[in-house]
Amino acid sequence: GDSVTQTEGPVTLSEGTSLTVNCSYETKQYPTLFWYVQYPGEGPQLLFKVPKANEKGSNRGFEATYNKEATSFHLQKASVQESDSAVYYCALSDPGGSNAKLTFGKGTKLSVKS
Amino acid sequence: GGIITQTPKFLIGQEGQKLTLKCQQNFNHDTMYWYRQDSGKGLRLIYYSITENDLQKGDLSEGYDASREKKSSFSLTVTSAQKNEMAVFLCASSPGTFYAEQFFGPGTRLTVL
């Protein structure tokens, strides 16, 4: 079945440093790839999604490129802020699967210190 | 825009008790989901429903029942709460196409004494 593997947390960074959260996936089809962010006390919310291979998604300074050859979708940000402290989930939706189920990674908890 | 409402926000139960969690959405979405979130284990799908009166099992359905009473509401029942169980249950909804995002509610935090 489909699977998503992402950087195991927690990750602790200082404000102003760069972030990379690795995400690798396995699926038989060409999926749509998602990054979600979950702030304390809230449900996950979409950061961005990329439906096509070799395209980049971005939002709030975060970006990721859908790399079909490497089956990767790594999340990057050049300069993190304390407000970026959250849990980040990589996910995929398989067009060959049933009824828009999403397969999530286990999440990466990011703490940013000032 | 729309919103997903989950009730209650906090639920404390006793071992062996049957507990019901409720979810309402006003997006007019066809598909609704229940996930369980445990620390370090990510989001695990319990049940989902692609339309009113439909039910599909997820990866973690054992020990749970669900009911899609109408398009806007989806309930989850813990059939027998396990002692010392602690988890957050998240409800989500989606238009149902494979490229569509899911919108999540704030969660119900369950503690079993």
Side-chain angles (χ1 to χ4, degrees), chain A residues 91-113:
Chain A
L92 70 82
S93 180
D94 179 356
S98 69
N99 304 314
K101 286 169 60 176
L102 289 181
T103 300
F104 286 89
K106 292 188 176 180
T108 302
K109 184 175 182 179
L110 171 66
S111 296
V112 181
K113 309 295 184 188

Side-chain angles (χ1 to χ4, degrees), chain B residues 60-81:
Chain B
L60 201 68
S61 60
E62 190 170 334
Y64 302 94
D65 286 329
S67 174
R68 183 85 180 271
E69 304 90 358
K70 50 187 179 180
K71 187 175 184 179
S72 62
S73 66
F74 194 28
S75 299
L76 180 73
T77 298
V78 180
T79 56
S80 180

Side-chain angles (χ1 to χ4, degrees), chain A residues 30-32 34 36 38 41-46 49 51 87 89 92-96 98-107, chain B residues 9 31 33 35 37 40-43 45 48 50 56-59 88 90 94 96-107:
Chain A
Y30 296 122
T32 292
F34 302 77
Y36 280 81
Q38 183 178 24
E42 299 180 11
Q45 57 185 270
L46 182 71
K49 67 179 181 183
V87 179
Y89 289 97
L92 70 82
S93 180
D94 179 356
S98 69
N99 304 314
K101 286 169 60 176
L102 289 181
T103 300
F104 286 89
K106 292 188 176 180
Chain B
K9 191 172 177 63
T31 307
Y33 310 81
Y35 291 90
Q37 184 175 41
K41 293 185 180 178
L43 300 170
L45 183 64
Y48 64 106
I50 61 173
Q56 308 279 341
K57 290 185 178 181
D59 301 321
V88 175
L90 292 165
S94 164
T97 54
F98 77 89
Y99 49 82
E101 69 176 285
Q102 292 181 15
F103 294 82
F104 286 82

Side-chain angles (χ1 to χ4, degrees), chain B residues 20-33:
Chain B
T20 298
L21 294 69
K22 294 189 180 294
C23 176
Q24 297 264 352
Q25 55 99 358
N26 65 359
F27 288 98
N28 199 35
H29 285 160
D30 287 317
T31 307
M32 295 186 74
Y33 310 81

Side-chain angles (χ1 to χ4, degrees), chain A residues 20-77:
Chain A
T20 298
V21 179
N22 290 330
C23 173
S24 298
Y25 64 88
E26 286 188 31
T27 179
K28 290 181 182 176
Q29 302 276 342
Y30 296 122
T32 292
L33 300 174
F34 302 77
W35 274 105
Y36 280 81
V37 57
Q38 183 178 24
Y39 299 104
E42 299 180 11
Q45 57 185 270
L46 182 71
L47 193 52
F48 55 83
K49 67 179 181 183
V50 180
K52 282 186 181 178
N54 303 321
E55 292 192 351
K56 180 190 288 189
S58 64
N59 188 15
R60 303 186 217 169
F62 291 90
E63 62 180 33
T65 299
Y66 185 158
N67 187 327
K68 186 182 72 170
E69 287 71 32
T71 62
S72 68
F73 191 52
H74 305 320
L75 181 69
Q76 295 181 310
K77 188 174 187 184

